[in-house]
Amino acid sequence: EDQVTQSPEALRLQEGESSSLNCSYTVSGLRGLFWYRQDPGKGPEFLFTLYSAGEEKEKERLKATLTKKESFLHITAPKPEDSATYLCAVQDIAAGNNRKLIWGLGTSLAVNP
Amino acid sequence: DAGITQSPRHKVTETGTPVTLRCHQTENHRYMYWYRQDPGHGLRLIHYSYGVKDTDKGEVSDGYSVSRSKTEDFLLTLESATSSQTSVYFCAIGLADHTQYFGPGTRLTVL
């Protein structure tokens, strides 16, 4: 069964303290892995898509990496405005044309000034 | 901002009443989705559409129906609302690269 597990559930960092969030997944074949950021009371905001093991993408203080079993979202020198819930989702090749995503429960990140 | 709006943004209704939520997009994307988000469950797919009048069920479709008579509008209907349908509802559009972009959400409370 397709599954996405995110860890930790919650993370509290001091401003400038770098860390990583984990997304481990089980699918028959990976079509894509997606990272989103969600602020309270808002819809998820797209960050990155990764398609194959070894791929990396960066945006400001965020860097996403992908292996055959997991993805990491590295946050370098975070600022309070990086506080949010970070969601991971995967798409199984077996999903065919329906394009359904399998979602993790998210990591709630708090960055203290 | 992918040009997605949802209405209403907040709604309080009573058990047994019908409720319709609207999702509107401005960019003619073929794929549209309805999710609900609840603590401890994350995002769960209710229904999705892959074109006008083409819809299919997601993982939590019981008690919900959808319609898509125009490319830009995707309606979610709760035929007879129940307290278990109290949730935050998100609409999303799907792009050619399979990325999904989300609307701002509708907070629904069923008393």
Side-chain angles (χ1 to χ4, degrees), chain B residues 18-21 34 63-67 75-80 85:
Chain B
V19 176
T20 295
L21 309 183
W34 275 109
Y64 302 94
S65 63
V66 290
S67 66
L75 303 181
L76 176 70
T77 297
L78 291 65
E79 301 290 347
S80 178
Q85 293 176 313

Side-chain angles (χ1 to χ4, degrees), chain B residues 35-47:
Chain B
Y35 290 91
R36 60 178 290 174
Q37 187 175 40
D38 305 284
H41 292 278
L43 282 163
R44 292 182 289 175
L45 182 66
I46 305 171
H47 282 280

Side-chain angles (χ1 to χ4, degrees), chain A residues 31 34 36 38 41-46 49 51 87 91 96-101 103-105, chain B residues 9 31 33 35 37 40-43 45 48 57 90 95-104:
Chain A
R31 172 171 281 162
F34 306 83
Y36 288 81
Q38 186 173 24
K42 296 189 176 182
E45 175 189 344
F46 171 72
T49 307
Y51 294 103
L87 301 172
Q91 189 174 55
N97 289 327
N98 64 37
R99 303 186 170 207
K100 293 179 184 178
L101 298 182
W103 292 86
L105 296 181
Chain B
R9 294 294 314 280
Y31 286 85
Y33 305 82
Y35 290 91
Q37 187 175 40
H41 292 278
L43 282 163
L45 182 66
Y48 66 98
K57 296 179 180 180
F90 289 104
L95 272 58
D97 65 357
H98 302 257
T99 302
Q100 294 183 16
Y101 285 87
F102 286 79

Side-chain angles (χ1 to χ4, degrees), chain B residues 8 11 17 28-29 38 42 49 52 58 64 70 85-87 101-102 111:
Chain B
K11 186 169 181 69
T17 60
N28 278 338
H29 294 292
D38 305 284
S49 170
V52 173
Y64 302 94
K70 299 185 292 184
Q85 293 176 313
T86 292
S87 185
Y101 285 87
F102 286 79
L111 301 175

Side-chain angles (χ1 to χ4, degrees), chain A:
Chain A
E1 181 183 343
D2 294 343
Q3 194 168 3
V4 175
T5 303
Q6 293 189 244
S7 62
E9 289 185 15
L11 182 63
R12 185 175 295 274
L13 300 173
Q14 288 297 124
E15 184 172 1
E17 178 187 4
S18 302
S19 188
S20 297
L21 313 182
N22 178 264
C23 172
S24 62
Y25 62 90
T26 304
V27 293
S28 57
L30 182 69
R31 172 171 281 162
L33 184 142
F34 306 83
W35 281 101
Y36 288 81
R37 167 195 172 123
Q38 186 173 24
D39 293 298
K42 296 189 176 182
E45 175 189 344
F46 171 72
L47 293 173
F48 304 108
T49 307
L50 302 168
Y51 294 103
S52 57
E55 189 175 0
E56 299 182 351
K57 288 192 177 174
E58 290 188 66
K59 179 181 179 180
E60 297 181 352
R61 295 175 294 281
L62 301 177
K63 179 180 178 180
T65 62
L66 181 64
T67 73
K68 289 186 177 180
K69 293 184 177 181
E70 59 191 349
S71 176
F72 291 93
L73 185 64
H74 306 277
I75 305 176
T76 302
K79 298 182 178 181
E81 54 261 44
D82 294 322
S83 298
T85 295
Y86 290 85
L87 301 172
C88 172
V90 300
Q91 189 174 55
D92 191 334
I93 286 177
N97 289 327
N98 64 37
R99 303 186 170 207
K100 293 179 184 178
L101 298 182
I102 304 151
W103 292 86
L105 296 181
T107 293
S108 176
L109 174 66
V111 181
N112 297 324

